Amino acid sequence: MANRPELIAPPEIFYDDTEARKYTSSSRIIDIQAKLSERALELLALPDDGVPRLLLDIGCGSGLSGETLSENGHQWIGLDISQSMLNIALEREVEGDLLLGDMGQGLGLRPGVVDGAISISAVQWLCNADKASHEPRLRLKAFFGSLYRCLARGARAVFQIYPESVAQRELILGAAMRAGFAGGVVVDYPHSSKSRKEFLVLTCGPPSISSEAPKGKVGDMESCSDDESSGDEENRTVCISDRHRPRKKQKITNKGKGREWVLKKKEQMRRKGCAVPPDTKYTARKRKARF
Amino acid sequence: MRLLTHNMLSSNIKGVANGFPLLIEVEKVIEKQVDFNPDFLKNIFPKIEWQALVQASRSMGYSELPEESPESSMLDSDDFLMKFHHVLLELHLEEGALVCPETGRKFPVNKGIPNMLLHEDEV
Ligand SMILES: C[S@@+](CC[C@H](N)C(=O)[O-])C[C@H]1O[C@@H](n2cnc3c(N)ncnc32)[C@H](O)[C@@H]1O
C-alpha cells in the first residue's frame, strides 16, 4: 500500500473533520468496514445463545464497526483518539458509548468486565512514534496489558490489522503474547492480494486447546519469545516504522543526542529493571577528541 | 455516556491505586429509550459494582434503586429489572465531568463523550 495513513500524520491529526467525513461517506469504505467487522465478530466466537454481550470497539472511529455490533444486538463501548471521527459517530447516532482516549495509554476499565473486544483497521497505528515521548513497545505493552485485565477470562479479542511488514506484525503479536494472550493470526484469502485480510485472534487466559486461533495460519510463536530485557536499541528500532516526515521537521527532531536524550534512555532502561549507572555530572558530557 | 460505561470505567492515571468509581459532576442529563432485554441485564448483573451504580444514579437525579446489593433472585422481578435497565442504559451524562476519586483530576464530558486522554506526566 503506497499511501499508508499512519505514515502521513498522527491519527488525531490525520482523521480531522474533513477526513472523518470523507471516510464515512465512502460507500466502498462503509461496505469494507462492515464486512471486516462481521468477520471479526464471528471470530470472537461468542456463545450462540442470543444473549447480548458487553463488547469493546477499539479505534471505533465514526462507528462503522460498532454499527455491526449493534445490528447483532450487543452493547458496546468505543474508544478513539480522534474527536472528529467521534463527532461523525454522534451524527450517525451510534448506539454504543463513546470515549475519547488513546489506546497506547492503556484502557481505564475495571478487571474482568468485558465479554470481548474488536478493533478494525486501528492497531497498526500504535507502531508509530508520534511524539518524542512515544515508545511503540511501551505503548503496545500498556495497551495489551490493560486489555488483558479488563477482559473476562476466556474472552477473545479480534484485531483486523494492516501490518506494514512482517516485523510490524511480530511487534504487535509479541506484545500481545507477553501480556498473556494466546492465539495467533488468521488470514482470509491469503492468495489474493486484493482481498487478503489479516486478523489477530487472541484469547484471554492460559493457553488451551480451544484458545488456538481458528482455521488459518497460527502465528510463529518462536519469533515472539524475545523477552523484555533484550530491548536493546538496535533490536527495537528495526520494527518501528519511520514516518516519512517532511525534511524540515526531520532536521528539528534529529538534533544530536544530547544529555537529555541519554538521561531519558537511561530512565527507560531503569524502568525495565536493567542495571544502569547513576546519573552524574559526567553523564553524556562532551568528550575531548584524543590521539 | 451511560451508567453501564461509568460502572466499568476507572481512572487510569499513573500512580493511582484505586481509580474507581469516578465521581460524577452533572451539568446535563438526557434520557434515551432503549429496548428492554432481560437476558442482557441478567448476564451483566454479576459484573456490576452495585454501590457505584446506586451512587451514580443518585448524582444523575434517580433515586429508586435499592441501596443494598440485591440478591440474584431479584432478577426474576420485572419491576426491579425495569429500574435496573433504565439506570444502566437509558440515563446519559451529556455534559459534565468524571472526577478521579484519588487525585481529583477531572475528565470533562462533552456531547456525551468523556475525554479520557491523559497528559504526558500522567502516563
Ligand atoms: C481506519 S479507522 C477505523 C475506524 C473504525 N474501526 C472502522 O472500522 O471504520 C482507524 C481509527 O483508529 C483510530 N486510532 C488510531 N490510533 C489510535 C489510538 N492510539 N487510540 C485510539 N484510537 C486510535 C483513528 O483515530 C481512527 O478512527
Side-chain angles (χ1 to χ4, degrees):
Chain A
M1 220 192 282
N3 320 315
R4 300 182 63 91
E6 312 90 89
L7 301 182
I8 296 169
E12 66 276 26
I13 310 274
F14 178 82
Y15 291 107
D16 60 4
D17 288 350
T18 318
E19 182 62 31
R21 195 164 297 281
K22 206 171 92 193
Y23 179 88
T24 319
S25 30
S26 155
S27 57
R28 187 183 64 92
I29 292 183
I30 294 176
D31 190 48
I32 294 176
Q33 299 310 107
K35 284 196 182 117
L36 293 174
S37 312
E38 276 295 341
R39 178 68 170 134
L41 184 57
E42 183 185 42
L43 289 168
L44 269 189
L46 295 168
D48 187 17
D49 53 10
V51 177
R53 310 280 151 163
L54 176 62
L55 306 178
L56 283 185
D57 184 359
I58 297 154
C60 63
S62 49
L64 298 182
S65 38
E67 270 163 25
T68 300
L69 302 179
S70 296
E71 277 161 19
N72 285 272
H74 300 293
Q75 296 290 342
W76 55 277
I77 302 174
L79 176 87
D80 205 280
I81 199 172
S82 156
Q83 180 73 56
S84 303
M85 289 293 261
L86 294 176
N87 286 342
I88 304 271
L90 287 180
E91 256 180 52
R92 295 171 65 88
E93 299 188 347
V94 297
E95 285 168 52
D97 273 347
L98 304 170
L99 302 173
L100 179 63
D102 175 357
M103 60 175 140
Q105 297 182 335
L107 311 169
L109 294 167
R110 282 201 290 121
V113 291
V114 177
D115 298 314
I118 66 160
S119 176
I120 309 298
S121 326
V123 171
Q124 70 271 3
W125 282 93
L126 275 187
C127 299
N128 293 305
D130 288 321
K131 297 190 181 145
S133 57
H134 279 187
E135 187 68 59
R137 265 183 203 259
L138 292 182
R139 285 169 54 75
L140 283 162
K141 184 176 170 189
F143 169 61
F144 281 113
S146 63
L147 177 65
Y148 189 89
R149 282 189 296 278
C150 76
L151 286 171
R153 294 309 88 160
R156 277 189 180 178
V158 176
F159 301 83
Q160 183 272 324
I161 51 170
Y162 292 113
E164 190 180 45
S165 59
V166 175
Q168 197 175 74
R169 179 187 310 111
E170 282 179 7
L171 181 69
I172 297 173
L173 195 56
M177 298 295 145
R178 275 191 293 271
F181 283 105
V185 180
V186 172
V187 182
D188 285 353
Y189 316 112
H191 305 298
S192 153
S193 61
K194 237 186 171 177
S195 38
R196 178 182 200 280
K197 290 289 175 308
E198 239 180 87
F199 296 85
L200 220 63
V201 181
L202 305 173
T203 304
C204 188
S208 70
I209 299 168
S210 64
S211 64
E212 219 168 86
K215 52 184 173 348
K217 281 186 250 163
V218 174
D220 171 3
M221 298 299 174
E222 243 160 46
S223 57
C224 307
S225 59
D226 63 325
D227 63 27
E228 281 309 63
S229 58
S230 75
D232 67 34
E233 215 43 48
E234 264 141 43
N235 245 339
R236 198 179 316 168
T237 43
V238 185
C239 315
I240 299 162
S241 64
D242 229 7
R243 172 164 300 133
H244 310 298
R245 290 181 194 276
R247 264 284 161 91
K248 258 194 236 150
K249 275 205 189 131
Q250 248 169 25
K251 256 189 215 148
I252 304 166
T253 45
N254 280 353
K255 243 194 315 174
K257 299 179 174 177
R259 180 177 155 88
E260 233 171 89
W261 182 87
V262 172
L263 290 178
K264 191 179 131 215
K265 287 290 157 188
K266 286 175 81 172
E267 190 48 44
Q268 274 172 4
M269 294 315 278
R270 260 181 223 123
R271 258 185 269 137
K272 288 193 172 172
C274 302
V276 177
D279 303 331
T280 67
K281 62 177 178 175
Y282 301 112
T283 305
R285 70 180 167 183
K286 283 234 166 62
R287 284 166 216 263
K288 281 202 186 100
R290 286 176 207 207
F291 305 110
Chain B
M1 183 204 62
R2 299 170 295 181
L3 295 189
L4 168 66
T5 300
H6 171 263
N7 205 268
M8 306 304 166
L9 266 185
S10 78
S11 162
N12 199 19
I13 300 170
K14 179 177 152 193
V16 167
N18 193 358
F20 182 86
L22 294 157
L23 308 175
I24 299 183
E25 281 185 7
V26 178
E27 271 173 43
K28 187 177 168 197
V29 174
I30 59 171
E31 293 186 21
K32 290 185 202 165
Q33 228 188 323
V34 173
D35 290 344
F36 179 65
N37 187 319
D39 286 341
F40 174 76
L41 297 170
K42 288 176 190 168
N43 191 58
I44 197 83
F45 178 75
K47 292 185 189 153
I48 295 293
E49 284 282 345
W50 192 257
Q51 289 311 319
L53 187 68
V54 173
Q55 230 177 47
S57 67
R58 298 214 165 143
S59 49
M60 305 269 279
Y62 184 90
S63 53
E64 287 179 47
L65 284 188
E67 182 101 28
E68 287 300 307
S69 181
E71 302 285 316
S72 48
S73 61
M74 284 295 272
L75 294 172
D76 297 330
S77 149
D78 271 352
D79 179 56
F80 170 75
L81 282 182
M82 298 290 259
K83 288 176 180 163
F84 184 39
H85 166 79
H86 179 66
V87 167
L88 210 56
L89 301 174
E90 296 188 323
L91 294 178
H92 291 246
L93 179 63
E94 185 70 1
E95 299 289 336
L98 302 176
V99 185
C100 170
E102 236 175 74
T103 63
R105 150 80 139 97
K106 286 190 186 177
F107 298 96
V109 178
N110 296 314
K111 294 184 286 184
I113 304 180
N115 178 347
M116 304 306 290
L117 286 169
L118 300 178
H119 307 308
E120 270 181 26
D121 58 355
E122 294 174 329
V123 181

